[in-house]
Amino acid sequence: MPTPGLDGYTPAWLKPEHEDLAELARAFFTKEVVPHAARLEAQGHPDREHYRQAGELGLLGLSVPEEFGGGGGDFTHEAVLLTEQTFSGEGSLGLAVHSGIVTGYITAYGTEEQKRRWLPGLCDGSLVGAIGMTEPDGGSDLQAIRTRAVQDGDEYVVTGAKTFITNGGVADLLILAVKTDTTQGAGGISLIVCELEDGAPGFRRGRLLDKIGLHANDTAELFFDEYRVPTANLLGSEGGGFFQMMAQLPQERLVIGVGAVAVMQRAVELATAYAKERKAFGKPLIGHQNTRMVLAECATRTRVARIFLDDCVERHVRGELDVATAAMAKYWLTEGQCEVVDRCLQIFGGYGYTTEYPIARMYADARVQKIYGGTNEIMKELIARVL
């Protein structure tokens, strides 16, 4: 069913191959993962088997070159996958990070040997990927990271801590931001790839964080105490990590925007359907002017957001998405997501506050969108710098 307000609108980048992918992804999420939602929320992390199933279907690493086990597509294919995951209501698999971010770093900066070593596993689901930037005292200030890596022969000795790490509870492969030169600011940051093994000397997973939303997805603390990583696992050049992150963050922020718009569309669909069924004062809710006004405003906000997002997607595929525009997308689309979900929840009345209705879970899940990937306050600062 088309989203009210988006009838007749099709993104210029959408091709028949994307529609086939959407159908496959939709079937996977709704048949294989969503039926386990209650159990996954209770355990607080996804099933590894669902990653492997997604890999078997070719749903992981869609933008990774075929020679490394991927789909050979581009960001538009990742966007379709993430949109269908959102539409289905599935929230356990951290695909936005695993495929939308981690594979991109390795594809962009990995050596030929590194790509052949790690990408096939990320694409077939035998490896789960994560990225470790944020620290307990660091937040969005990446230049202030304190986790350090000291070279000792052909190894780095890593000491420090990371927090709020999506997929951190189940990840096998972690792209870790560290300070390799503590005398430098941004120029002292490097990225190293950690092949995580529970029980390995110097590595420990902390608790799975108890969040107000996204209960089925694991967000963890990670601790390193003289943890040894081969120097061959350096991603790109030593001291180049900050600039690598700055180059990749526009895609990360666009990934967040894709999820935001998908949630807006789903919220409008659910609220419109409910307003047509639910009666109050002798007629359906949609028969009341206030309800129609709210839905009209939310549908308009969603259409504008969709068109802006699609323009950003096209720019990104052409290699033209700049930092400021990506920041605009992340900030404006997530603000819109929270506003639209809140107003749509109100239409459900008391039922909107019960978790048996999807809109309630969407409301709780939405709040973090304005925080991770760089807070929206940081996004405004990035935008202001180019004014």
Side-chain angles (χ1 to χ4, degrees), residues 6 74-75 77 79 103 149 152 157 169 179 231 247-248 284 293 308 324 330 333 367:
L6 282 173
D74 58 28
F75 182 78
H77 299 88
T103 60
D152 180 20
V157 181
K179 272 287 183 73
T231 55
Q248 292 295 311
M293 295 291 186
F308 178 36
K330 194 272 180 182
L333 296 176
R367 188 59 183 83

Side-chain angles (χ1 to χ4, degrees), residues 47-246:
D47 285 350
R48 293 297 302 260
E49 181 59 26
H50 289 152
Y51 277 102
R52 286 188 284 268
Q53 288 177 327
E56 290 173 2
L57 292 171
L59 295 175
L60 302 181
L62 291 167
S63 56
V64 172
E66 292 181 8
E67 62 182 300
F68 301 116
D74 58 28
F75 182 78
T76 62
H77 299 88
E78 305 288 2
V80 168
L81 175 70
L82 298 176
T83 295
E84 290 302 327
Q85 183 181 20
T86 300
F87 283 167
S88 73
E90 201 294 297
S92 68
L93 296 168
L95 301 183
V97 170
H98 176 92
S99 287
I101 298 174
V102 173
T103 60
Y105 272 87
I106 296 174
T107 300
Y109 306 117
T111 63
E112 187 76 9
E113 190 277 332
Q114 288 174 334
K115 293 176 185 178
R116 296 196 180 280
R117 183 178 176 185
W118 296 318
L119 287 175
L122 292 169
C123 293
D124 67 23
S126 59
L127 296 177
V128 176
I131 186 164
M133 297 183 190
T134 306
E135 298 185 349
D137 297 323
S140 296
D141 185 5
L142 295 179
Q143 294 191 51
I145 65 171
R146 300 172 64 182
T147 299
R148 67 185 186 276
V150 179
Q151 187 170 351
D152 180 20
D154 60 357
E155 293 180 314
Y156 285 114
V157 181
V158 180
T159 301
K162 299 291 181 177
T163 193
F164 309 133
I165 306 305
T166 299
N167 299 348
V170 298
D172 310 282
L173 204 70
L174 175 74
I175 297 175
L176 184 66
V178 297
K179 272 287 183 73
T180 47
D181 185 347
T182 56
T183 67
Q184 300 294 317
I189 297 175
S190 303
L191 300 180
I192 58 176
V193 179
C194 303
E195 296 165 289
L196 302 178
E197 292 184 24
D198 290 327
F203 169 67
R204 178 171 63 87
R205 297 183 205 263
R207 61 196 174 99
L208 294 182
L209 300 178
D210 189 8
K211 312 182 296 288
I212 64 173
L214 297 176
H215 294 147
N217 178 252
D218 53 316
T219 306
E221 301 169 318
L222 302 177
F223 299 98
F224 307 90
D225 183 10
E226 297 189 352
Y227 174 65
R228 291 183 173 268
V229 182
T231 55
N233 286 21
L234 176 69
L235 194 61
S237 60
E238 191 167 290
F242 182 80
F243 308 101
Q244 292 167 325
M245 289 188 287
M246 290 303 100

